[in-house]
């Protein structure tokens, strides 16, 4: 059998004697003598003259000549989308689209003022149970909105039903919540933990007080109440703070992260990270970072952050079978009327509904479009394809610009050099 160098080999660093090589598909990292690197990049090459050849094959640096690496990734992706064998199911449930804040970049433009009723809630439970197979070992539920805590009683009642059903079927249940945090009182925290089983929540902060109030149309009272709620919430949950970064607020985010860590009641339960604001509403007047700009800032922020935590590592992007779990055919986003979507960014848009919990999937064109998830032509040759898979399909379809990639070569190399201790 003839072999060639993998298309997904990326040179991280080199000196006079050695090459540091990384494979974006396998995730393997190797230090090779330059003569070995040059040998595997010659066509054809003689495997007998290459040390550790079998190791290079097993780590993915060298592949059979007839192997189409791109098609292998596509097949893995399709298996992940359609496969019944997946042991994990994931659902996002929005019991209401009402919100007590109005973020200027929000993708939700729904006129729906409903709060889910229990008849719909029970139908949701039946629908979720209908998707379970003998292979299902774990179900994740993410409570979403609007602001989900506006429908607190619905969450409490549905959680009991879901917990009981999963316990009876010996299925692990992992509920979480995405909330703006302004309504997260200590009494609610106790109930969410003890009765609903929630162990993790995500809260978004857009800057210090003035910036936060402008971005979310909030009051100062809401901002300071949010901070107090976060401090208390760390007693009960792992609290993940998403710090939304724009060109205007980036330099406030480090201050916020430091302040939260200093004042929270359980520092081990507080996680902070910066995230790119995507302008789905097209109302940000070019205040959003481009991907290159954002990732440069993310490295800067993360390198400062890791000095305060024990592991001291940047997160190296991993190989993904799919861009996100929403693409798996059994996973869904469920709205307050029981309507089904494939992504939370589409919630509230009637023309994006793919079914409902009463009648099941409609198998309409939009549903199949998601599952097929075609890629841009440039993706076929991109060395980052195993890490990115073409980026977010919603961004590809909905945003005015064509930037949908989720990482850059410069960012990946920076993460790997940090791991290797190379400046």
């Amino acid at each position: 059998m003839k072999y060639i160098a993998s298309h997904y080999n990326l040179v991280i660093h080199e000196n006079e004697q050695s090459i540091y090589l990384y494979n974006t598909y396998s995730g393997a990292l190797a230090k090779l003598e330059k003569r070995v690197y040059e040998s595997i990049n010659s066509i054809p090459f003689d495997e007998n003259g290459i040390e550790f050849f079998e190791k290079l094959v097993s780590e993915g640096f060298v592949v059979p000549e007839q192997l189409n690496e791109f098609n292998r990734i596509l097949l893995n992706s399709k298996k992940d989308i359609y496969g019944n064998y997946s042991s994990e199911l994931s659902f996002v449930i929005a019991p209401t689209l009402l919100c007590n804040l109005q973020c200027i970049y929000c993708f939700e433009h729904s006129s729906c003022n409903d709060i889910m009723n229990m008849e719909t809630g029970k139908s949701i439970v039946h629908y979720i149970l209908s998707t379970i197979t003998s292979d299902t070992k774990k179900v994740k539920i993410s409570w979403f909105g609007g602001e989900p805590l506006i429908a607190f009683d619905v969450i409490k009642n549905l959680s009991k039903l879901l917990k009981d059903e999963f316990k009876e079927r010996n299925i692990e249940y992992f509920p979480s919540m995405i909330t703006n945090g302004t309504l997260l009182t200590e009494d609610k925290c106790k109930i969410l933990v003890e009765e609903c089983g929630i162990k993790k929540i995500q809260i978004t902060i857009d800057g210090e007080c003035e910036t936060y109030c402008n971005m979310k149309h909030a009051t100062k009272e809401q901002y300071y109440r949010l901070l107090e709620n976060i401090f208390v919430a760390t007693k009960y949950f792992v609290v993940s703070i998403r710090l939304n970064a724009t060109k205007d607020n980036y330099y406030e985010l480090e201050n916020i992260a430091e302040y939260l860590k200093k004042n929270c009641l359980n520092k081990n339960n507080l996680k902070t990270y910066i995230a790119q604001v995507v302008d789905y509403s097209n109302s940000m007047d070019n205040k959003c970072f481009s991907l290159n700009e954002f990732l440069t800032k993310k490295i800067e922020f993360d390198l400062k952050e890791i000095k305060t935590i024990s592991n001291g590592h940047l997160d190296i992007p991993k190989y993904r079978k799919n861009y996100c779990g929403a693409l798996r055919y059994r996973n869904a986003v469920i709205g307050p009327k029981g309507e089904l979507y494939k992504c939370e960014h589409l919630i509230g848009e009637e023309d994006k509904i793919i079914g409902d919990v009463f009648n099941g999937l409609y198998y309409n064109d939009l549903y199949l479009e998601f599952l097929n998830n075609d890629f841009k032509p440039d993706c076929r040759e991109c060395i980052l394809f195993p890490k990115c898979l073409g980026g977010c399909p919603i961004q590809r379809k909905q945003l005015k610009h064509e930037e949908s990639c989720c990482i850059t070569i410069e960012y990946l190399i920076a993460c790997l050099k940090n791991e290797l201790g190379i400046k």
Side-chain angles (χ1 to χ4, degrees), residues 93-230:
I93 304 177
T96 182
L97 299 186
L98 292 171
C99 188
N100 59 331
L101 300 177
Q102 293 179 303
C103 304
I104 62 175
Y105 51 78
C106 185
F107 50 80
E108 291 185 19
H109 305 285
S110 174
S111 59
C112 175
N113 294 321
D114 291 350
I115 294 179
M116 186 181 291
N117 60 46
M118 278 309 295
E119 180 184 352
T120 300
K122 290 176 181 178
S123 296
I124 289 172
V125 174
H126 291 312
Y127 177 79
I128 291 174
L129 294 177
S130 74
T131 66
I132 290 173
T133 69
S134 59
D135 296 314
T136 305
K137 307 299 181 187
K138 179 189 302 184
V139 176
K140 292 183 176 180
I141 301 291
S142 178
W143 296 102
F144 188 70
E147 171 45 51
L149 289 176
I150 289 175
F152 178 70
D153 287 341
V154 176
I155 294 171
K156 184 172 63 174
N157 293 331
L158 276 189
S159 293
K160 186 179 187 313
L161 292 177
L162 289 166
K163 281 177 63 179
D164 290 346
E165 293 288 355
F166 294 139
K167 183 177 181 181
E168 183 178 330
R169 290 164 173 77
N170 198 29
I171 292 173
E172 292 183 89
Y173 176 44
F174 288 87
S176 61
M177 179 180 289
I178 298 174
T179 170
N180 64 41
T182 58
L183 305 177
L184 191 64
T185 63
E186 183 155 14
D187 287 343
K188 286 189 173 71
C189 287
K190 291 178 180 178
I191 292 172
L192 291 173
V193 169
E194 296 169 5
E195 298 185 27
C196 303
I198 293 175
K199 297 178 182 178
K200 182 178 180 180
I201 61 171
Q202 177 188 300
I203 296 172
T204 298
I205 300 182
D206 298 296
E208 294 175 322
C209 185
E210 183 177 352
T211 302
Y212 178 92
C213 291
N214 289 335
M215 292 281 281
K216 293 186 175 295
H217 293 100
T219 64
K220 291 182 179 179
E221 289 75 17
Q222 286 176 311
Y223 176 75
Y224 289 111
R225 188 185 313 130
L226 165 64
L227 297 182
E228 291 298 324
N229 289 348
I230 291 172

Side-chain angles (χ1 to χ4, degrees), residues 278-311:
V278 177
D279 188 14
Y280 288 96
S281 64
N282 297 309
S283 61
M284 294 288 288
D285 298 325
N286 296 316
K287 293 179 180 179
C288 294
F289 286 123
S290 69
L291 180 65
N292 277 317
E293 291 170 334
F294 170 72
L295 291 177
T296 299
K297 294 298 183 185
K298 178 171 169 57
I299 291 170
E300 179 183 309
F301 183 89
D302 289 353
L303 285 174
K304 291 177 181 177
E305 283 288 287
I306 63 175
K307 293 178 181 178
T308 66
I309 58 179
S310 57
N311 61 23

Side-chain angles (χ1 to χ4, degrees), residues 18 44 106 191 214 241 314 331 369:
S18 305
C106 185
I191 292 172
N214 289 335
I241 304 296
L314 291 173
N331 294 350
E369 184 180 335

